[in-house]
Amino acid sequence: MNAAARAAVAAAVLGCALAAVPAPAAAADFASVGTAGAVLYDGPSAKARKLWVAPRGMPIELLAAPDPAWVKARDVGGDVFWLPRTDVSERPGLITVTAATVRQSPSDAAPVELRVERGVLLEPVEPAASAGWFRVRHRDGATGWVRATEVWGR
């Protein structure tokens, strides 16, 4: 193999290697299930296999929307599914990833408002975290602050 051929092979190998390197991750785009009892599918069609039924408020990470009627998403456990766009709320939700403590103010020293188990849905009261804390509302109406590390959905 002559030098020109070796250079061409090296360039092709380098090009393939660079193509395999993932692009930097963009900030995740979160939403939530907007209807009670939304059916999640394994493809973008009501004829696809039904995977499970999701509760209203369940946070989802939006992955793709190649079809105007369907959205590809992921849940807190990493499961990927499709759901009709009409079942998606742009309002993000939060789910506890561990047993979490909801406090009266954003401080570990603040009095405890309530404690919740892993997997409990919480509604964000404010649009963004404040110094590592989210202001949230529990379905029973209690409000308070939870550490951002104890929830998923933003």
Side-chain angles (χ1 to χ4, degrees):
M1 183 180 295
N2 65 25
R6 280 194 301 271
V9 169
V13 168
L14 179 60
C16 288
L18 289 175
V21 174
D29 190 14
F30 288 98
S32 64
V33 174
T35 58
V39 177
L40 307 181
Y41 298 88
D42 71 350
S45 167
K47 294 180 181 178
R49 186 169 56 92
K50 295 175 183 175
L51 299 174
W52 68 90
V53 177
R56 179 191 319 259
M58 182 181 96
I60 56 175
E61 179 184 0
L62 303 176
L63 301 176
D67 180 311
W70 291 87
V71 174
K72 185 177 185 181
R74 177 182 4 245
D75 69 6
V76 65
D79 293 320
V80 175
F81 49 84
W82 292 83
L83 72 161
R85 183 178 298 277
T86 55
D87 289 346
V88 175
S89 169
E90 296 303 316
R91 185 178 178 139
L94 296 171
I95 189 167
T96 55
V97 294
T98 182
T101 302
V102 178
R103 298 186 176 273
Q104 292 179 4
S105 64
S107 166
D108 287 325
V112 173
E113 183 67 32
L114 72 141
R115 296 183 196 277
V116 294
E117 296 297 318
R118 179 180 183 266
V120 172
L121 296 175
L122 298 171
E123 178 188 350
V125 175
E126 296 177 3
S130 172
W133 293 82
F134 282 106
R135 186 151 188 250
V136 297
R137 179 179 298 113
H138 186 266
R139 69 175 172 233
D140 70 4
T143 61
W145 296 83
V146 65
R147 282 201 158 282
T149 56
E150 296 178 326
V151 294
W152 182 88
R154 287 276 177 139

